[in-house]
Amino acid sequence: MASHRKSRPTGARVAGIRTPALATAALTSVALLSQTAEAAPSTDDRPSLEEVEKKVDDLYRQAESATEKYNAAKEKTAKQRKRVDTLLDDVAQRTQKLNDAREELGSFAAAQYRTGASAPDTATFLLADSPQDYFDQTQLMGRLTSRQKDAVDDYFTEQSATMKKRQEAADGLGTLTESQSDLRTAKATVQKKLSDARELLSRLTAEEKARLAAIEKEKQEEAERKAAELARVQAEEQRRQEAAAQEQQEQETADGSSGGTGTGSGSDTGASDSAYDTKAERALAFARAQIGKPYVWGATGPDSYDCSGLTLGAWKAAGVSLPRTTYDQVNAGTTVSLAAAQPGDLVFFYDDVTHVGIYIGNGMMIHAPKPGTYVREESIYYDGESSIHSVVRPA
């Protein structure tokens, strides 16, 4: 009997399961979609603009901290190099004197030989610890003239001094090598931090850069508002002090007219303030003349500056020598309160004291902010009130 079963159509469903051809296609499609999903960047993993801004600011701060370490290492290296050069020059001069002394002793030995005395043993001479040891061994000490004894003493004295200086020079070269290593490390750290900051900023879209600029503008406006408030407080304090001084003067005048005697000690303070004001004016004039010049880490002018390089140059123009780094500048003067800050004072920032500006009054300063910027006037609150570390009057 012939079979009545019909052939199964290719690609038809059987018990709700696709045939192998369709199943393979479906699995392939799912795999491709999965791979695409894995390859596509997740917007959730992308840092927010605020996070990018904070990271960039942190990197710039770290770069500035490394810059001050670089400045310190550079200064130490320069001093150490100068010391080593001086030691090496001294060693060279002493070596020449030693050679001259050796030649004189050679002439003396030859003369002794010509007169029939025993010929000195050169090896014994060079290994002797002192002239007495040598001549005790050779039994020549008793036959030396006063001049010859002096020549021998000079030789051994110079030999001892030369050996000491050679050791000092060797130690100095070791310290110099360490300083140069520190200098290279600090330089590499600065460059790495700046490179990381530039790389982060390069990822931003045009829209994000515009938003970032808007955020910076808001921060600047807030900083200027705080500066204006500080200027108001300082003006009130100045008026209060002037009123108190006027009242004291009137009281002293009244006491004088009634037979009393006033001490009038305020003149000394005025003279001191006047002397400081004169120096501060020179420092500020210098700082203003640098406005617009680029920030370059490690620079001390005249074409570019970093923060401590600018304050160093400003007060140098006023006849006051400041140390090179912020770490040392913060201790080079008298600390005053922020409310008592006067033009010319140095304003330091952050707990690690890695930034400095020169105060110009009204809550404003002149400073070299960071890489990519220029020397400019800006509110001392440019990075928030909490960033201010201290105020120092350097003269």
Side-chain angles (χ1 to χ4, degrees), residues 66-67 69-78 81 176-191 297:
T67 293
K69 291 178 181 178
Y70 170 85
N71 291 338
K74 184 178 180 180
E75 185 176 40
K76 181 180 178 181
T77 299
R81 189 188 304 279
L176 177 59
T177 300
E178 292 176 3
S179 298
Q180 290 172 329
S181 177
D182 292 341
L183 186 64
R184 288 191 296 269
T185 298
K187 181 177 181 179
T189 301
V190 176
Q191 292 173 330
W297 63 274

Side-chain angles (χ1 to χ4, degrees), residues 98-386:
L98 194 61
N99 291 336
D100 293 342
R102 185 179 289 112
E103 289 179 3
E104 185 174 359
L105 288 178
S107 300
F108 155 66
Q112 289 286 338
Y113 180 74
R114 286 194 299 270
T115 59
S118 300
D121 182 352
T122 304
T124 303
F125 173 75
L126 293 176
L127 292 175
D129 293 328
S130 71
Q132 183 64 52
D133 289 343
Y134 168 69
F135 285 105
D136 282 348
Q137 295 174 40
T138 60
Q139 300 179 350
L140 290 175
M141 199 66 179
R143 294 196 293 272
L144 293 179
T145 66
S146 175
R147 175 177 172 278
Q148 290 168 341
K149 287 180 180 179
D150 289 343
V152 172
D153 287 338
D154 289 345
Y155 173 83
F156 279 94
T157 298
E158 195 62 45
Q159 182 187 52
S160 176
T162 301
M163 291 176 64
K164 182 179 179 180
K165 286 297 180 181
R166 282 175 178 169
Q167 185 59 51
E168 287 182 18
D171 293 342
L173 283 170
T175 304
L176 177 59
T177 300
E178 292 176 3
S179 298
Q180 290 172 329
S181 177
D182 292 341
L183 186 64
R184 288 191 296 269
T185 298
K187 181 177 181 179
T189 301
V190 176
Q191 292 173 330
K192 179 66 167 60
K193 299 301 181 184
L194 295 180
S195 176
D196 289 347
R198 286 192 293 267
E199 199 273 334
L200 274 175
L201 290 173
S202 69
R203 298 179 189 175
L204 298 180
T205 64
E207 181 182 355
E208 287 173 329
K209 289 179 180 178
R211 286 171 54 202
L212 189 61
I215 292 174
E216 288 293 329
K217 184 178 180 181
E218 290 177 4
K219 287 173 60 177
Q220 183 178 358
E221 289 173 350
E222 174 63 15
E224 290 173 354
R225 185 191 68 77
K226 286 183 175 292
E229 175 62 19
L230 176 62
R232 184 188 66 78
V233 170
Q234 289 179 328
E236 289 180 356
E237 177 63 16
Q238 178 67 21
R239 285 193 292 270
R240 186 193 67 76
Q241 291 179 358
E242 290 174 352
Q246 179 67 24
E247 182 179 354
Q248 181 181 2
Q249 185 177 9
E250 291 174 353
Q251 183 63 44
E252 290 174 350
T253 301
D255 290 343
S257 62
S258 60
T261 57
T263 59
S265 59
S267 60
D268 291 339
T269 303
S272 176
D273 289 344
S274 176
Y276 178 77
D277 290 345
T278 300
K279 293 178 181 178
E281 287 175 3
R282 293 173 184 166
L284 289 173
F286 178 93
R288 288 192 176 95
Q290 314 314 310
I291 290 176
K293 293 183 178 180
Y295 175 104
V296 174
W297 63 274
T300 56
D303 300 320
S304 57
Y305 295 88
D306 62 16
C307 66
S308 56
L310 177 65
T311 52
L312 173 74
W315 273 100
K316 182 178 180 181
V320 177
S321 296
L322 292 181
R324 174 64 181 95
T325 67
T326 54
Y327 312 127
D328 293 325
Q329 288 183 8
V330 73
N331 297 314
T334 303
T335 301
V336 299
S337 68
L338 184 59
Q342 296 180 12
D345 291 350
L346 302 180
V347 186
F348 294 89
F349 297 85
Y350 311 119
D351 292 339
D352 54 357
V353 197
T354 53
H355 189 69
V356 62
I358 183 166
Y359 192 63
I360 60 176
N362 296 325
M364 302 292 286
M365 67 178 173
I366 298 174
H367 71 148
K370 60 185 179 182
T373 62
Y374 298 83
V375 176
R376 66 193 183 200
E377 291 187 11
E378 194 164 27
S379 166
I380 62 173
Y381 299 102
Y382 81 108
D383 201 21
E385 187 171 1
S386 63

